Amino acid sequence: MLQQAEITPAEDSARQERFPVGASLEFADMEEGGREEALDRLREAEPVSWVPALGGWLVTGYPEARQLLSPRCGTTVEAEENLVRHSLGRMMLTSDGADHDRQRAPFDGPFRMREVGDLFADAIAAEADALLDELGPAGGCELGASFAAPFAVRMTGRVLGLSLDDVPRIDGFYSAFAGAMVYDGNPEPQRLADAAREELNAILHGDIARCRHAPDTSVTSQVANDSDHGVSDDEAVAQLRVIMFGGIETIQSGIMNTLLLLLRDPEAIAAVRDDRDLLPNAVEESLRLIPPVAFVERWTVAPTAIGEVELGIGEFVGASTLAANRDPAVFPDPLAYDIRRENARRHLAFSFGEHFCLGAHLARLELTTSVGRVLDRLPELRLVAAEEPAGFAFRRPPSLEVAWSP
Ligand code: HEM
């Protein structure tokens, strides 16, 4: 396991002198809503920069971010300091190379585009409709808490094949895992994540046994009944944990970000209402402009040049997908929400390289279907109030108040 290199105060000062824009960046510039132009300034001056507020390197240029995430870049996720592993354990997202591929392989089939459509298209529409049936008469709501979050949690339950009693517990597991990914010196979040992992493991092992006895359409069932998949039950459970984690806040954010952008743009929403074929690209454009996962991290395993900057061994280096997705060299007029943008799908919201999101096809189907159902079922939907999208690792408006004709 790689140990992150210690940077001496002298080296830190030298880097700050060489990268003055990075040195002046505050953590709030990467976290708070409405401060994205600080990242734009950084990308323009120093697309690979030393950012003391992050304690590492930050990549904001699109080609440089792709290079960082590409398999031959000389970086790893297997570092002692990787908080995702502390929280969720060893699994595909915290492993590299052949071992990563072995752990991911049994899940590649069930998450292919066609399989995802066959297994989940009806369930996605049914979950969205069930929530909208309840919401319709109210005439208004905070869309995150009332629709996007419960939709994401219920769909996760469907994907994992959890029994209905277990679905409400997913929220608690999610919060325990997310809490341990922010290290502030307090050991309590880690203790809660360890306890949540034990509890979730027991549920998932039970599910695997149940699916062997009575197969269903869940991913758990597909993998449990594939006798030749090369992972133990413990390893399968470890992958199911990250599948559970990966599909909750991201989907909630994707729904909220897409609806926020559409509702703020009367022409775009009218065009999508008129021609539903525009919706998939509108979703891609939302993922580009406000990526739900705004930051992706790696560590160097060898001296590595990213763009024009040489990095030593054991250096912490993150890519801002938020900044890379707004690189004007790849996306002209990058701040415009252009639902017809031809290369919107080139965004890095699902990452790039070997850790490219396993659930990308499912996510696309969940987002287009759920947003489409909201537009169909809530007539004259309008924005009442929204806070600016914010968040360092996960990004969305903290709240999204909407109203419609009941
Ligand atoms: C809009 C929704 C989503 C976004 C923006 C998103 C984003 C991402 C990103 C950026 C990564 C890579 C992180 C890295 O390179 O270090 C990733 C990996 C992953 N995602 Fe997603 N995700 C979404 C939905 C989902 C869903 C619905 C699932 C499953 C149900 C899922 C499961 C995973 C898994 C298992 C990985 C690890 C893949 C690997 O390491 O090989 N994601 N996702």
Side-chain angles (χ1 to χ4, degrees):
M1 190 71 56
L2 185 102
Q3 290 272 334
Q4 190 172 318
E6 292 267 347
I7 306 299
T8 62
E11 177 62 21
D12 181 40
S13 305
R15 291 181 182 184
Q16 295 201 31
E17 220 163 283
R18 189 174 159 209
F19 300 101
V21 184
S24 69
L25 201 76
E26 295 173 13
F27 194 77
D29 292 328
M30 296 175 271
E31 190 176 36
E32 286 179 13
R35 294 173 69 148
E36 291 84 354
E37 83 281 0
L39 289 171
D40 291 336
R41 276 198 305 277
L42 181 62
R43 185 189 51 240
E44 209 169 293
E46 301 162 4
V48 179
S49 184
W50 175 249
V51 175
L54 190 66
W57 298 93
L58 183 64
V59 178
T60 47
Y62 180 95
E64 293 84 355
R66 254 175 82 119
Q67 187 196 343
L68 170 68
L69 299 171
S70 71
R72 285 170 300 284
C73 181
T75 57
T76 184
V77 290
E78 296 190 9
E80 196 54 59
E81 289 76 9
N82 187 337
L83 291 177
V84 176
R85 194 191 68 258
H86 287 237
S87 178
L88 283 165
R90 186 173 174 82
M91 37 74 190
M92 63 178 101
L93 187 54
T94 52
S95 311
D96 293 320
D99 201 37
H100 162 271
D101 298 351
R102 182 184 63 81
Q103 294 177 75
R104 177 165 165 148
F107 297 87
D108 276 332
F111 279 102
R112 273 198 294 259
M113 184 152 49
R114 174 189 285 201
E115 277 73 5
V116 155
D118 290 349
L119 292 174
F120 299 117
D122 293 345
I124 293 170
E127 290 296 1
D129 280 341
L131 284 162
L132 292 167
D133 285 344
E134 289 167 30
L135 280 178
C141 72
E142 195 285 292
L143 206 99
S146 301
F147 179 76
F151 170 80
V153 167
R154 290 186 193 185
M155 274 314 302
T156 298
R158 295 265 196 158
V159 170
L160 297 179
L162 295 185
S163 70
L164 281 179
D165 288 348
D166 287 328
V167 172
R169 297 165 75 186
I170 292 179
D171 254 345
F173 294 133
Y174 182 88
S175 306
F177 294 141
M181 287 181 197
V182 186
Y183 187 69
D184 57 5
N186 178 359
E188 185 59 8
Q190 184 62 49
R191 199 192 58 74
L192 291 176
D194 292 345
R197 213 160 59 221
E198 290 303 311
E199 213 181 313
L200 179 60
N201 286 354
I203 293 177
L204 293 172
H205 273 291
D207 269 343
I208 289 182
R210 186 177 45 73
C211 289
R212 288 204 172 113
H213 184 66
D216 60 27
T217 56
S218 66
V219 167
T220 307
S221 186
Q222 311 298 307
V223 173
N225 292 299
D226 171 0
S227 55
D228 189 25
H229 56 44
V231 296
S232 66
D233 280 3
D234 281 343
E235 286 176 321
V237 161
Q239 317 313 315
L240 292 170
R241 280 199 306 265
V242 67
I243 288 168
M244 186 217 89
F245 186 82
I248 295 188
E249 188 140 3
T250 52
I251 291 293
Q252 176 185 349
S253 304
I255 294 172
M256 293 176 77
N257 297 346
T258 303
L259 281 165
L260 174 71
L261 288 164
L262 283 173
L263 287 165
R264 279 183 170 169
D265 187 333
E267 256 177 56
I269 201 166
V272 168
R273 282 192 191 281
D274 266 7
D275 179 0
R276 196 42 66 79
D277 289 348
L278 291 172
L279 185 54
N281 206 55
V283 165
E284 297 300 330
E285 177 68 344
S286 311
L287 291 168
R288 180 191 71 80
L289 199 52
I290 318 175
V293 178
F295 181 83
V296 175
E297 61 189 21
R298 298 289 186 267
W299 287 261
T300 55
V301 284
T304 304
I306 300 177
E308 293 178 357
V309 180
E310 292 282 344
L311 276 56
I313 300 180
E315 301 247 20
F316 176 56
V317 49
S320 167
T321 53
L322 178 64
N325 283 353
R326 294 171 182 225
D327 189 334
V330 180
F331 303 105
D333 194 7
L335 305 188
Y337 180 58
D338 176 2
I339 60 169
R340 295 181 180 81
R341 188 183 293 276
E342 282 181 5
N343 67 350
R345 273 176 78 103
R346 282 187 74 195
H347 63 68
L348 296 178
F350 291 122
S351 193
F352 180 73
E354 70 172 336
H355 295 286
F356 181 83
C357 178
L358 175 75
H361 294 306
L362 176 63
R364 287 178 161 131
L365 190 61
E366 286 191 38
L367 296 183
T368 43
T369 307
S370 61
V371 171
R373 299 308 290 151
V374 168
L375 296 180
D376 283 345
R377 298 279 312 274
L378 304 179
E380 295 160 47
L381 183 68
R382 61 194 180 279
L383 192 59
V384 174
E387 294 171 77
E388 282 310 306
F392 171 68
F394 296 111
R395 204 161 181 93
R396 63 176 162 83
S399 66
L400 184 61
E401 299 283 346
V402 293
W404 59 88
S405 314

